[in-house]
Amino acid sequence: MSENAGYNKQFHIETYGCQMNLSDSELMAGILTSHGYRAADNLEDADIIIVNTCAVREHAEKRVIGHLANLNRYKQKNPNLVLGVCGCMAQHMKEKIIEAAPHVDFVIGPDAYRNLPVAISSALEGDAFLDLKLDKTEVYFEIEPSREAGVRAWLTIMRGCNKMCTFCIVPYVRGRERSIPIAALLAEVRKLAQDGFAEVVLLGQTVNSYHDGQHDFSDLLIAINGIEGIERIRFISPHPVDITDKMIDVMARYDKICKHIHLPLQSGSTKILQTMRRNYTAEEYLRLVEKMREKIPTLAIGTDIIAGFCGETEEDFQATYHLVETVRFDSAFMFKYSPREGTIAYRKLADDVPPEEKGRRLTAIIELQERISLEINKGLLGQEVEVLVEGESKRDPNQLCGKTDSFKTTVFPRDNAKAGQFVKVKVADATGHTLFGEEPK
Ligand code: SAM
């Protein structure tokens, strides 16, 4: 394929789902740019529209199908427009996407992005294109992503997942786990530092099971900590069973590693955790949190929780509620269980919690978490926090915003501070989601 296959053609990528999908969209943009395509300033200018999708919950898939129907009007206006669907939902639904949205020109799964230029050429010749093979070795490590400029860079360090949680579609749509060699990652991080990124976020479905054959996740953290120009290191999402004592020590000892962890709990009932095949008990999760807090007293903890999984009784739900009260997470993403075709739960377990009961449990846990997040954030009133400035606040151009080390969004009056700088801000007010600061000194 010629380097200039895309001469004069502009693409626009829309991303649904997790940070891994954002990172994949940057990868796709990199592939297209290296073939001579250009990023369009907006959707109207695009010759190629790519929707990068998520399959984790049914709701996400329904939203994409609705959105694809809306995008049909661009095809009506411009019959040469190419519309593609990529990512996890593409892999999950396969040709059913074309049945649901016949105006879609290509469908490409997470291991076949290299074929984007071929897919576009086929579409321009009038042929629909599907590439849904999973490739155990594909890590794309020599492809330069087209990153959005900013303070924070996403860096995928491993792809796929071996955990086989019964509720989760990820292993079926992203394949088995494989890690990128440490040398390639370190070269990329050095480049990120040169490009002015102050923060790097390491990504993987179970990011801390990273192993390139010789180096584990802790080795990688230590090595990145030594790279000049990188000021903060984060990672998502670790799996509780892969948190080693070495990793906790490294997080405690190395200054650039943020004292924040997103540690999916899923349920506070050991019975449900077993049905989910999470490989830890509620007690083990709690002990892990206690151990981490002992070694890292300022650690902020976020989590994921699923309400209404197969077989979840009121007693199981109360166990989750109680664990959330005990741990006091800083933040949480909370979901109703959504059966996903192909998963073990879908095949073998009854989705037996009625929808209204799932809704009630979800609302109860959200209300509890909102109260806890507010109490934790109000506890910071009067304290000084260090914020890495990201830029103008979306809500008020007179304010700047950024994140604390503990990943709390902080908004404060515009001063001379610029994106990429660290400022000390005194917390004057707080909601459960945002800290509001006084002018930095
Ligand atoms: N790999 C990570 C893990 O399991 O630790 C996160 C994967 S997923 C993209 C993010 C979250 O979505 C999960 O932690 C889980 O809480 C939620 N999730 C996954 N499958 C789900 C399902 N079938 N129904 C509802 N929530 C789900």
Side-chain angles (χ1 to χ4, degrees):
M1 172 81 34
S2 129
E3 289 299 292
N4 284 320
Y7 181 69
N8 244 351
K9 291 223 181 294
Q10 301 187 49
F11 66 87
H12 175 83
I13 306 180
E14 301 192 332
T15 311
Y16 286 76
C18 63
Q19 285 81 3
M20 196 102 192
N21 281 6
L22 281 177
S23 173
D24 276 6
S25 290
E26 293 181 340
L27 180 74
M28 288 189 245
I31 292 172
L32 291 176
T33 311
S34 72
H35 282 79
Y37 295 87
R38 282 186 293 130
D41 289 334
N42 53 58
L43 191 60
E44 277 71 24
D45 295 340
D47 303 290
I48 300 137
I49 300 176
I50 296 173
V51 185
N52 187 13
T53 58
C54 168
V56 166
R57 282 166 292 275
E58 191 185 5
H59 176 67
E61 289 192 343
K62 283 198 168 141
R63 271 177 64 211
V64 169
I65 295 293
H67 185 54
L68 291 174
N70 286 336
L71 290 175
N72 199 10
R73 70 191 148 99
Y74 293 94
K75 293 224 30 151
Q76 307 282 326
K77 265 198 269 176
N78 172 10
N80 290 326
L81 180 96
V82 174
L83 176 61
V85 178
C86 291
C88 297
M89 174 183 166
Q91 192 71 39
H92 188 219
M93 283 187 67
K94 304 189 169 59
E95 53 284 331
K96 281 195 219 145
I97 288 184
I98 305 220
E99 283 161 28
H103 53 291
V104 167
D105 297 294
F106 66 81
V107 181
I108 288 187
D111 286 347
Y113 299 145
R114 283 176 201 270
N115 273 335
L116 270 174
V118 179
I120 294 168
S121 305
S122 294
L124 288 172
E125 282 160 23
D127 297 325
F129 184 95
L130 268 82
D131 193 343
L132 299 163
K133 66 175 181 310
L134 286 176
D135 181 342
K136 279 196 235 72
T137 59
E138 181 59 275
V139 286
Y140 300 109
F141 77 82
E142 81 298 1
I143 292 178
E144 185 71 34
S146 259
R147 288 197 167 83
E148 227 173 86
V151 166
R152 177 176 304 122
W154 310 109
L155 181 67
T156 297
I157 63 164
M158 48 96 71
R159 299 183 73 87
C161 184
N162 284 354
K163 290 286 185 282
M164 304 305 285
C165 300
T166 53
F167 55 81
C168 190
I169 195 68
V170 168
Y172 304 92
V173 294
R174 286 190 169 268
R176 288 300 120 93
E177 191 180 298
R178 60 270 186 196
S179 296
I180 298 179
I182 198 167
L185 291 173
L186 297 181
E188 185 65 18
V189 177
R190 277 185 216 104
K191 194 166 168 300
L192 293 176
Q194 276 164 15
D195 290 346
F197 290 100
E199 179 174 306
V200 60
V201 187
L202 311 180
L203 300 178
Q205 287 302 330
T206 52
V207 71
N208 55 330
S209 60
Y210 174 87
H211 207 293
D212 74 349
Q214 277 169 304
H215 308 92
D216 67 10
F217 185 63
S218 303
D219 299 331
L220 178 64
L221 287 175
I222 296 171
I224 296 179
N225 197 84
I227 294 179
E228 209 178 312
I230 295 296
E231 306 294 347
R232 277 184 176 174
I233 306 165
R234 301 187 189 277
F235 51 86
I236 36 175
S237 283
H239 193 292
V241 297
D242 292 323
I243 295 197
T244 59
D245 287 349
K246 179 178 168 193
M247 179 180 155
I248 301 175
D249 281 344
V250 167
M251 280 188 74
R253 276 198 12 234
Y254 288 83
D255 59 331
K256 293 181 184 175
I257 304 171
C258 291
K259 308 308 175 228
H260 169 247
I261 193 159
H262 187 80
L263 193 62
L265 165 66
Q266 312 302 4
S267 169
S269 151
T270 294
K271 181 194 100 191
I272 294 298
L273 287 169
Q274 275 164 358
T275 333
M276 289 175 162
R277 293 201 192 159
R278 290 290 291 176
N279 292 326
Y280 52 83
T281 64
E283 295 69 33
E284 282 165 346
Y285 184 96
L286 194 56
R287 271 203 297 278
L288 177 62
V289 166
E290 283 165 0
K291 182 155 70 171
M292 294 192 80
R293 282 185 168 153
E294 212 172 281
K295 293 263 170 68
I296 313 166
T298 57
L299 187 71
I301 308 180
T303 199
D304 291 344
I305 289 168
I306 299 178
F309 186 61
C310 311
E312 186 188 83
T313 60
E314 179 59 25
E315 201 184 319
D316 295 318
F317 173 66
Q318 285 305 325
T320 303
Y321 195 92
H322 182 63
L323 197 60
V324 170
E325 274 181 322
T326 308
V327 173
R328 291 178 67 77
F329 295 104
D330 289 77
S331 62
F333 294 123
M334 293 155 282
F335 315 99
K336 276 189 234 176
Y337 170 58
S338 163
R340 306 286 45 228
E341 191 176 345
T343 58
I344 299 168
Y346 185 89
R347 286 182 273 130
K348 301 200 168 153
L349 303 170
D351 176 24
D352 54 1
V353 179
E356 55 288 2
E357 184 55 19
K358 282 184 189 169
R360 186 193 66 78
R361 292 179 192 174
L362 180 66
T363 305
I365 207 89
I366 290 176
E367 280 172 6
L368 170 64
Q369 183 55 47
E370 291 280 318
R371 175 165 63 72
I372 293 170
S373 297
L374 182 64
E375 285 167 5
I376 292 176
N377 288 354
K378 289 270 188 202
L380 294 170
L381 292 185
Q383 290 187 27
E384 208 173 63
V385 290
E386 190 174 54
V387 179
L388 174 57
V389 182
E390 289 177 24
E392 210 169 78
S393 156
K394 281 194 199 97
R395 297 226 179 116
D396 179 354
N398 295 316
Q399 307 262 327
L400 293 176
C401 74
K403 291 260 197 269
T404 62
D405 181 274
S406 56
F407 207 58
K408 293 188 195 290
T409 301
T410 309
V411 175
F412 55 96
R414 185 179 275 286
D415 188 52
N416 291 324
K418 291 196 180 53
Q421 283 179 347
F422 284 93
V423 291
K424 293 255 172 31
V425 177
K426 192 163 169 195
V427 181
D429 201 359
T431 67
H433 299 273
T434 311
L435 305 179
F436 297 93
E438 290 171 357
E439 192 123 356
K441 302 203 174 62

